[in-house]
Amino acid sequence: MTEPSETAFNSFLKDFAENVRKFHKGADVLAGIRDEDVDVGATPKTLVMRRDKVELFRYEPTAKRIVETPVLIVYGLIGRYTIADLQPDRSLVRSLLAKGIDVWLIDWGKPGRAEGWLTMDDYVDDYIHEAVHRICRETGHDKVTLLGICEGGVFATCYAALHPEKVKNLVLTITPIDFHADIDDPAASQGLLNIWTRSLAPEDIDRMVDALGVIPGEFMSLIFSLMTPMQSLTKYNVNLIDIAGDKDLLMNCLRMEKWLADRPDHPGAAGRQWLKELYQGNRLVKGRFELSGRIVDLYAIDVPVLNIYALNDHIIPPSCSKALGGKIGSTDYTEIPLLSGHVGLFVSSKSQGTLTKRIVEWLQPRDG
């Protein structure tokens, strides 16, 4: 009869041998992958305008257009827009193009200390405003549809409130509006970023911005890693060894890691507003947030609004996004919750097609 300890030891040896096999297979697969193979944001596009480090692109069409109004994607400064175009089969951009949408994009570039003085006023009333005017000039339209993502959704919301005459529709995804809504609607896995940000001493924010001119991208990467500590601890050992032998899965992983590693510095002045006036002061939803000498009045938004949020979002709690509904002047307001996480909304295999389908179905009847 085999002793329990002997059975356990044999099982250990079997698992160890299997892991060694996976490791060697993964090493062989990895050795055949070049850096240029891990391409993100590769959908063909044309540079239309450059202003400082900010660039405006128009994507090449891939299908007959079914929505005439151009759609401008506005991402945030905290990460890179490439999450919306990670790879061919996980790309909001490609999916929209395939549905016949005229897609444009603002790329903020990689701000450094020299851009530390740029405020949210500059991004909304200068860069976005100039991009919208250029799109209208190029296409012959007098308005555009704004598609905002996360922090970029806040920029788009502010623009729609301050320049409603230039906005046909407003589409928001995973966008915080009420930065304190999580206080009354707490969830164990959501709102940690809000809690941490509210706990910062305002003078410490000032010290960092004054000393560095920026909020370092590495600093924000660390904060986001600490929000999911177990995943951060195991993804390069336990999780990676299980997929290393499958080139497709490995490429998915490498592209995601490339996006995560490509986190630019956040301009200091805009970061100060983002952290102190919005996350801490919650001024946007209170009607006290000011850009270029004007109050951003959410009730001034009278265009059709589509607000999409992720139910399992650990960065932007759903309650923070849902708050928009009761604050705008538009009577054409649609809210769509999707069973996804913050990043998964754009790259998860389960969400592929769903996000695009809901956006296009909403846009079509509002294109007249």
Side-chain angles (χ1 to χ4, degrees), residues 19 22 237-246 249:
N19 285 333
K22 289 180 179 178
N237 40 55
V238 177
N239 296 343
L240 185 59
I241 199 169
D242 286 331
I243 66 169
D246 186 319
L249 291 178

Side-chain angles (χ1 to χ4, degrees), residues 8-24 241:
F9 182 69
N10 290 335
S11 178
F12 166 77
L13 287 178
K14 182 179 179 181
D15 290 343
F16 180 76
E18 176 62 16
N19 285 333
V20 169
R21 185 192 67 78
K22 289 180 179 178
F23 177 82
H24 283 293
I241 199 169

Side-chain angles (χ1 to χ4, degrees), residues 14 23-24 26 61 120 122 144 154 171 180 182 193 218 229 235 238 270 276 282 287 289-290 306 328 330 363:
K14 182 179 179 181
F23 177 82
H24 283 293
M120 289 179 64
D122 296 304
V144 306
V154 176
V171 179
H180 291 181
D182 61 295
L193 181 62
E218 295 87 348
K235 67 178 181 178
V238 177
K276 294 177 68 174
N282 205 24
F289 187 54
E290 186 176 304
L306 172 62
I328 61 176
S330 176
L363 283 176

Side-chain angles (χ1 to χ4, degrees), residues 3-283:
E3 294 293 328
S5 58
E6 183 180 347
T7 301
F9 182 69
N10 290 335
S11 178
F12 166 77
L13 287 178
K14 182 179 179 181
D15 290 343
F16 180 76
E18 176 62 16
N19 285 333
V20 169
R21 185 192 67 78
K22 289 180 179 178
F23 177 82
H24 283 293
K25 184 178 180 181
D28 291 338
V29 173
L30 192 59
I33 298 175
R34 301 166 301 171
D35 182 62
E36 54 266 31
D37 295 331
V38 189
D39 53 342
V40 295
T43 301
K45 57 186 181 294
T46 301
L47 176 63
V48 176
M49 183 183 76
R50 180 182 289 115
R51 188 174 178 86
D52 304 324
K53 288 186 177 179
V54 178
E55 296 178 326
L56 173 67
F57 290 95
R58 187 180 195 177
Y59 284 94
E60 297 179 12
T62 61
K64 181 181 178 181
R65 192 160 298 156
I66 64 169
V67 173
E68 293 299 327
T69 305
V71 173
L72 174 61
I73 295 178
V74 183
Y75 197 70
L77 294 163
I78 293 174
R80 294 279 287 155
Y81 76 89
T82 48
I83 194 62
D85 187 27
L86 195 66
Q87 60 189 50
D89 61 337
R90 302 188 185 206
S91 169
L92 172 64
V93 169
R94 288 189 185 235
S95 296
L96 289 171
L97 291 171
K99 293 291 185 180
I101 306 297
D102 183 13
V103 183
W104 297 68
L105 172 107
I106 292 180
D107 179 2
W108 304 123
K110 295 189 177 182
R113 187 178 178 84
E115 287 74 41
W117 58 273
L118 289 173
T119 62
M120 289 179 64
D121 313 48
D122 296 304
Y123 282 97
V124 172
D125 282 327
D126 186 349
Y127 295 129
I128 293 179
H129 198 45
E130 285 299 313
V132 168
H133 276 284
R134 184 58 179 266
I135 293 170
C136 290
R137 188 158 68 246
E138 293 283 335
T139 64
H141 289 269
D142 58 356
K143 298 181 179 183
V144 306
T145 289
L146 294 178
L147 197 169
I149 300 174
C150 195
E151 183 187 18
V154 176
F155 290 178
T157 299
C158 292
Y159 186 85
L162 296 173
H163 304 277
E165 75 284 354
K166 302 303 295 182
V167 180
K168 178 77 170 179
N169 304 291
L170 177 62
V171 179
L172 301 177
T173 59
I174 52 173
T175 297
I177 297 296
D178 183 345
F179 290 75
H180 291 181
D182 61 295
I183 295 175
D184 298 323
D185 185 22
S189 62
Q190 296 170 343
L192 294 177
L193 181 62
N194 296 35
I195 294 170
W196 175 79
T197 307
R198 287 195 293 266
S199 74
L200 294 174
E203 57 268 25
D204 286 340
I205 297 173
D206 290 333
R207 289 189 187 103
M208 176 170 59
V209 171
D210 291 341
L212 303 176
V214 298
I215 299 176
E218 295 87 348
F219 176 70
M220 292 308 304
S221 291
L222 174 62
I223 299 303
F224 288 127
S225 294
L226 292 176
M227 292 177 63
T228 53
M230 293 309 297
Q231 180 183 349
S232 298
L233 285 170
T234 61
K235 67 178 181 178
Y236 294 128
N237 40 55
V238 177
N239 296 343
L240 185 59
I241 199 169
D242 286 331
I243 66 169
D246 186 319
K247 185 174 181 179
D248 289 338
L249 291 178
L250 182 59
M251 290 297 292
N252 291 349
C253 176
L254 292 175
R255 289 191 179 100
M256 176 57 67
E257 291 305 308
K258 187 170 185 175
W259 174 75
L260 288 170
D262 187 23
R263 192 173 295 281
D265 296 334
H266 195 297
R272 201 192 309 260
Q273 290 171 289
W274 182 248
L275 295 176
K276 294 177 68 174
E277 297 186 32
L278 296 180
Y279 263 100
Q280 294 188 338
N282 205 24
R283 291 189 179 187

